[in-house]
Amino acid sequence: MNQAAASDQPLPLGLIAKSLRGTLETFQVDSLSTWLEAVQHHHSHTFRHSIMVTGYALAFAQKLKLPADIQALVGLGAVVHDIGKTRIPLAVLDKLGKLSDEEFTLIKKHPVFSREILEGRKEVPREAIDIAVHHHEYLDGSGYPDGLNGEQIGPLVRLITICDIFSALVEKRSYKESLTPRQAYAILREMGSKIDQKLLQQFRPVAIGIADFARGAKGPRREKEE
């Protein structure tokens, strides 16, 4: 997919769709946590992040019982959500230490780069482009790149935003330790009106299910809200 984006060739949507179907089938045989554990072994944290967001998003879409065609859009949007990072040097993406102000500004341009890569590609659904461009927008208007707010941010974008932030928090990077799923979910709760809190509440079984697996839980557990 990245090679196609770099050479202005059509994205291999057939292969992506096949991969997404395989991912969903894997969830039916193994757990999401088992699948995520396998993804964690990949050497590229950018690749890991995109695929982990895809896993969370597909699991969430299944939990919401979204129609199959909408689940496919969610999966595709998750796969391409960071495609703009293909235009950012690896020296910046894989930097071990803290980013400079200039480097952080460059990183924040990746949704704009995604727009440039995906706009005009007739093979990519508009909903997937919307996800790639706007998954860093917040409901209170404080996000980027377009400063959207409220109803300007569609439901699929809101879903991916939750999965994207959650994944970034639980991932271990060279510059930070990973948070537990419960800690990550609590931070999302603390974001308040920036994200869709009603949708976040529906994400809770996915997040807490991962936490229970990591703890070795044998079944569902009732507990107070965090």
Side-chain angles (χ1 to χ4, degrees), residues 122-135:
K122 296 181 179 179
E123 76 273 19
V124 183
R126 169 55 52 183
E127 294 88 346
I129 297 175
D130 192 26
I131 288 170
V133 176
H134 294 131
H135 64 280

Side-chain angles (χ1 to χ4, degrees), residues 7-21:
S7 59
D8 291 325
Q9 297 297 313
L11 297 187
L13 296 191
L15 290 175
I16 293 173
K18 182 178 179 181
S19 177
L20 293 175
R21 287 194 298 271

Side-chain angles (χ1 to χ4, degrees), residues 19-29 58-59 62 71-72:
S19 177
L20 293 175
R21 287 194 298 271
T23 300
L24 288 170
E25 291 169 1
T26 300
F27 290 170
Q28 295 171 3
V29 176
L58 288 174
Q62 284 191 321
Q71 289 190 35

Side-chain angles (χ1 to χ4, degrees), residues 185-198:
Y185 184 82
I187 287 175
L188 285 164
R189 287 286 299 272
E190 292 169 1
M191 291 181 70
S193 61
K194 287 182 177 295
I195 61 176
D196 189 326
Q197 290 293 325
K198 289 184 178 179

Side-chain angles (χ1 to χ4, degrees), residues 10 30 33 51 85 199:
D30 295 311
S33 297
I51 301 305
K85 288 183 177 178
L199 189 61

Side-chain angles (χ1 to χ4, degrees), residues 8-177:
D8 291 325
Q9 297 297 313
L11 297 187
L13 296 191
L15 290 175
I16 293 173
K18 182 178 179 181
S19 177
L20 293 175
R21 287 194 298 271
T23 300
L24 288 170
E25 291 169 1
T26 300
F27 290 170
Q28 295 171 3
V29 176
D30 295 311
S31 68
L32 170 62
S33 297
T34 302
W35 184 86
L36 290 170
E37 184 178 358
V39 173
Q40 286 278 26
H41 291 295
H42 197 278
H43 69 280
S44 167
H45 74 73
T46 301
F47 176 88
R48 285 200 310 269
H49 175 70
S50 291
I51 301 305
M52 288 177 70
V53 171
T54 301
Y56 292 129
L58 288 174
F60 193 12
Q62 284 191 321
K63 188 69 178 177
L64 294 172
K65 294 182 169 53
L66 297 180
D69 59 333
I70 303 301
Q71 289 190 35
L73 281 175
V74 167
L76 176 59
V79 168
V80 303
H81 87 282
D82 272 349
I83 196 171
K85 288 183 177 178
T86 59
R87 293 191 177 179
I88 297 175
L90 287 177
V92 175
L93 288 178
D94 296 338
K95 184 175 179 179
L96 296 180
K98 182 179 179 181
L99 295 175
S100 67
D101 291 342
E102 293 78 10
E103 291 167 336
F104 184 64
T105 298
L106 178 60
I107 289 285
K108 288 182 66 175
K109 288 183 179 179
H110 75 270
V112 176
F113 296 150
S114 293
R115 176 187 280 136
E116 294 173 355
I117 292 169
L118 297 175
E119 287 281 6
R121 289 178 177 267
K122 296 181 179 179
E123 76 273 19
V124 183
R126 169 55 52 183
E127 294 88 346
I129 297 175
D130 192 26
I131 288 170
V133 176
H134 294 131
H135 64 280
H136 285 293
E137 301 284 2
Y138 290 143
L139 298 179
D140 64 358
S142 64
Y144 62 90
D146 297 326
L148 302 185
N149 64 81
E151 296 304 315
Q152 294 176 310
I153 304 173
L156 300 189
V157 176
R158 298 180 187 206
L159 185 156
I160 296 297
T161 296
I162 289 172
C163 295
D164 181 49
I165 297 171
F166 181 82
S167 182
L169 291 171
V170 300
E171 292 169 34
K172 183 177 181 179
R173 303 283 179 84
S174 59
Y175 53 86
K176 76 172 189 71
E177 290 298 319

